[in-house]
Amino acid sequence: MDFMHDQLEDGRSFRLLNILDDCNREGLGIEVDFHTNRTGHTYAEPPDRMARQA
């Protein structure tokens, strides 16, 4: 997992959570969040959701 953070021209910040498979270098998912004050529980949900779909 990897976090990226950037800011739009109008000043709004956003954060990306990239979920990658290191073995085959495949991007499994990207979550975009404009609310940068989220907790760890918020970011634990996307990998859990991906595991249920597999």
Side-chain angles (χ1 to χ4, degrees):
M1 293 193 310
D2 180 37
F3 287 102
M4 295 174 59
H5 179 265
D6 206 350
Q7 189 173 18
L8 300 174
E9 189 174 307
D10 64 3
R12 291 184 297 159
S13 293
F14 65 95
R15 185 179 285 176
L16 302 169
L17 170 61
N18 302 301
I19 302 172
L20 309 170
D21 184 345
D22 289 334
C23 294
N24 61 11
R25 301 177 71 175
E26 179 182 5
L28 302 175
I30 299 175
E31 291 285 324
V32 180
D33 188 8
F34 282 94
H35 305 284
T36 57
N37 59 350
R38 301 289 178 129
T39 66
H41 295 286
T42 305
Y43 292 110
E45 193 272 328
D48 290 342
R49 185 176 63 237
M50 294 168 104
R52 287 191 302 268
Q53 291 176 352

